[in-house]
Amino acid sequence: MKQTIRFFGWDLHRYQPSSDPHAQLSAAIKYAGINVIFDIGANIGQFALDLRSVGYKGKIVSFEPLSSAHSILSKNARLDTNWLVHPKAAIGEKEGTTEINISGNSVSSSILPMLDSHSSAANDSAYINREKVNITRIDTISDQYLDRNSSLFLKIDTQGYEWQVLDGAIKTIDKANGILIELSLVTLYKDQKLWLEIINRLEESGFRLWTLQQGFTDPRNGQSLQMDAIFLRKKT
């Protein structure tokens, strides 16, 4: 059966943490007792929809700066009373306004300039426009979504801007029990921090690397360019 399925370019495997990234994420969330997830860099809500598909029923708060994506995100969340969409804004290290570069595929949009190492590996990721957006720190707004019973998980997918998101989340990170963050193995956006710096920072903040998951891969040669990393709070 597997040989037949692979002949058509697909694969078959058991749905479990050892073989499926969604099952692995679900297991980590349950292990850490998470009941609130901040979905930073939500795009149209793919991550939140995946969470619901694996049985997560807790609160989700999605953050998205692009007008077009935010509109679709809001529609996707409208029938889910435990899925909140924050007013359109970028999340970073400051308060004010900024410009975000809009990628042809939307999901690769970033405040930072994109380098050839990214666009050459994904032709549809090249920038096609720019948009002026509000920017805020997660520390400024987190309290409106959290209470004393909250067990928080941060998902940060901001295309090279992860370090700045962390800079604006110092107090919130102290309240978090888990983080999923995108790690770049090579420089894909100008001036971004790479994987080892982020790992070291989060370990110093009291987290341990729980798992690595496959992310953006160069289809021309199979090189891994980005990975998703799950961190959980160290238990004393």
Side-chain angles (χ1 to χ4, degrees):
M1 185 181 294
K2 281 190 174 183
Q3 288 177 338
T4 302
I5 291 174
R6 287 173 179 169
F7 176 81
F8 291 101
W10 296 85
D11 200 359
L12 178 67
H13 56 79
R14 179 176 293 180
Y15 182 75
Q16 58 184 358
S18 62
S19 59
D20 188 279
H22 294 110
Q24 189 175 43
L25 172 61
S26 178
I29 287 172
K30 290 177 181 177
Y31 179 82
I34 300 301
N35 57 24
V36 181
I37 295 178
F38 283 1
D39 176 15
I40 301 170
N43 196 247
I44 63 173
Q46 299 95 320
F47 180 74
L49 291 169
D50 285 340
L51 286 172
R52 292 297 190 232
S53 74
V54 296
Y56 174 73
K57 300 184 185 301
K59 181 190 291 186
I60 302 171
V61 185
S62 292
F63 303 86
E64 172 56 38
L66 293 180
S67 296
S68 57
H70 191 275
S71 177
I72 299 172
L73 169 67
S74 298
K75 291 177 182 177
N76 286 336
R78 70 184 184 278
L79 298 179
D80 188 333
T81 58
N82 218 15
W83 180 4
L84 309 178
V85 177
H86 187 77
K88 182 171 69 72
I91 302 299
E93 79 288 16
K94 60 186 178 181
E95 305 291 330
T97 59
T98 189
E99 283 195 329
I100 187 167
N101 301 290
I102 303 174
S103 167
N105 64 14
S106 182
V107 296
S108 298
S109 303
S110 177
I111 291 173
L112 300 178
M114 182 184 292
L115 301 181
D116 288 343
S117 53
H118 190 301
S119 58
S120 63
N123 293 331
D124 62 346
S125 68
Y127 291 153
I128 58 173
N129 208 343
R130 304 183 77 184
E131 182 177 348
K132 189 174 183 179
V133 298
N134 292 327
I135 185 169
T136 186
R137 299 179 306 123
I138 206 70
D139 277 348
T140 303
I141 56 182
S142 61
D143 284 348
Q144 65 184 281
Y145 298 114
L146 302 174
D147 58 39
R148 62 182 182 180
N149 297 316
S150 296
S151 178
L152 177 64
F153 186 91
L154 296 172
K155 170 261 188 180
I156 305 173
D157 182 0
T158 50
Q159 300 301 309
Y161 212 65
E162 291 80 15
W163 193 266
Q164 290 86 340
V165 172
L166 294 174
D167 282 344
I170 302 300
K171 293 188 299 181
T172 306
I173 287 173
D174 286 343
K175 304 173 185 177
N177 288 314
I179 297 174
L180 186 153
I181 191 168
E182 194 171 56
L183 303 178
S184 289
L185 308 186
V186 301
T187 306
L188 302 173
Y189 296 89
K190 185 179 179 182
D191 298 328
Q192 75 172 121
K193 301 290 187 179
L194 295 183
W195 61 280
L196 186 56
E197 292 174 283
I198 293 178
I199 289 175
N200 288 339
R201 176 173 183 164
L202 291 179
E203 287 187 341
E204 290 172 1
S205 297
F207 293 86
R208 60 171 167 163
L209 180 60
W210 191 254
T211 190
L212 292 171
Q213 298 181 332
Q214 183 175 342
F216 179 28
T217 300
D218 190 330
R220 300 169 299 178
N221 55 24
Q223 181 185 10
S224 293
L225 303 178
Q226 288 177 327
M227 300 191 77
D228 290 329
I230 296 174
F231 293 81
L232 296 184
R233 175 73 63 185
K234 296 176 184 176
K235 294 185 177 180
T236 55

